[in-house]
Amino acid sequence: MKQEPAAQNSPPASPPSSQPLSEDDDPQALWIFGYGSLVWRPDFAYSDSRVGFVRGYSRRFWQGDTFHRGSDKMPGRVVTLLEDREGCTWGVAYQVQGEQVSKALKYLNVREAVLGGYDTKEVTFYPQDTPDQPLKALAYVATPQNPGYLGPAPEEAIATQILACRGFSGHNLEYLLRLADFMQLCGPQAQDEHLAAIVDAVGTMLPCFCPTEQALALV
């Protein structure tokens, strides 16, 4: 997976509506956009992967998690997408083809929908290396209508909750750190003020905290 910083400082303008989206006309192929744990742990077979972004959405730690990163008594905080005209969310798109399509969707239905409370939504994904060749992709989004939705809270409160929670997939802090690490790899043009504020809040609570691989080894 290529993760070199792109030359542009901001997302390119949206293509004209008449411009076809690359590689989307093959019914045997599907792109799946991940912006949370899928960026480092997809856990399904895929044919290709590309780092890039979607426009019109911001990432927020507003979804509760009682399985992967928390419990019924202490729900963790994981990310969802919030519609935002000025927003830009970086992540990874995975292409699945042939038999991979049904297997990936079956797996993700359990992981994201049944256990996570997410619905599916079609988004336009701009690859980092070729932003002028956007792709249609499937994204999993948690809406306020699902029972696990926690909604907004001060970044300090979110950080406190993250530090206290652990689920079957590991500590909630690991989730935060791995996502922050991914954003650093995307380069300086990849910004997420909400994520950065939560990381900073964790830093004030843990004076020796440093979001590095060494820190990841502790959770």
Side-chain angles (χ1 to χ4, degrees):
M1 168 188 317
K2 294 183 179 179
Q3 296 181 333
E4 295 84 355
Q8 76 269 14
N9 293 322
S10 61
S14 298
S17 58
S18 60
Q19 179 178 335
L21 298 179
S22 306
E23 304 179 60
D24 185 64
D25 56 352
D26 183 358
Q28 298 301 316
L30 174 69
W31 288 90
I32 298 170
F33 175 65
Y35 56 93
S37 61
L38 288 179
V39 303
W40 71 84
R41 187 174 65 85
D43 280 355
F44 57 82
Y46 56 90
S47 302
D48 190 13
S49 64
R50 301 182 187 180
V51 172
F53 53 86
V54 298
R55 303 180 67 190
Y57 296 93
S58 292
R59 178 169 31 216
R60 292 290 185 269
F61 277 81
W62 288 4
Q63 175 67 3
D65 188 336
T66 60
F67 184 83
H68 297 292
R69 300 291 174 174
S71 64
D72 290 333
K73 293 184 178 180
M74 298 183 66
R77 283 260 183 177
V78 291
V79 293
T80 184
L81 292 180
L82 175 70
E83 290 190 10
D84 178 3
R85 290 185 60 184
E86 305 299 323
C88 179
T89 298
W90 284 76
V92 180
Y94 300 93
Q95 185 188 48
V96 289
Q97 296 178 311
E99 294 182 354
Q100 294 176 341
V101 175
S102 60
K103 291 181 179 179
L105 292 178
K106 182 178 180 180
Y107 167 73
L108 290 172
N109 180 61
V110 175
R111 172 174 165 174
E112 304 294 335
V114 176
L115 297 177
Y118 289 73
D119 294 325
T120 56
K121 188 179 186 68
E122 185 181 85
V123 297
T124 301
F125 173 78
Y126 297 86
Q128 183 181 38
D129 295 334
T130 56
D132 59 333
Q133 300 176 29
L135 310 162
K136 286 184 180 178
L138 186 72
Y140 287 81
V141 179
T143 67
Q145 286 70 42
N146 85 83
Y149 191 79
L150 297 177
E155 278 79 9
E156 295 78 7
I158 294 176
T160 299
Q161 187 171 352
I162 286 174
L163 286 172
C165 294
R166 176 187 292 273
F168 286 101
S169 295
H171 202 288
N172 205 175
L173 178 59
E174 178 196 17
Y175 180 97
L176 173 71
L177 297 184
R178 290 196 181 278
L179 192 52
D181 185 57
F182 165 77
M183 289 297 290
Q184 289 184 349
L185 293 175
C186 289
Q189 78 280 7
Q191 301 294 323
D192 189 326
E193 295 180 359
H194 177 70
L195 172 62
I198 297 172
V199 172
D200 289 343
V202 168
T204 63
M205 298 172 190
L206 302 177
C208 297
F209 169 76
C210 181
T212 64
E213 292 184 4
Q214 184 177 2
L216 285 174
L218 300 178
V219 295

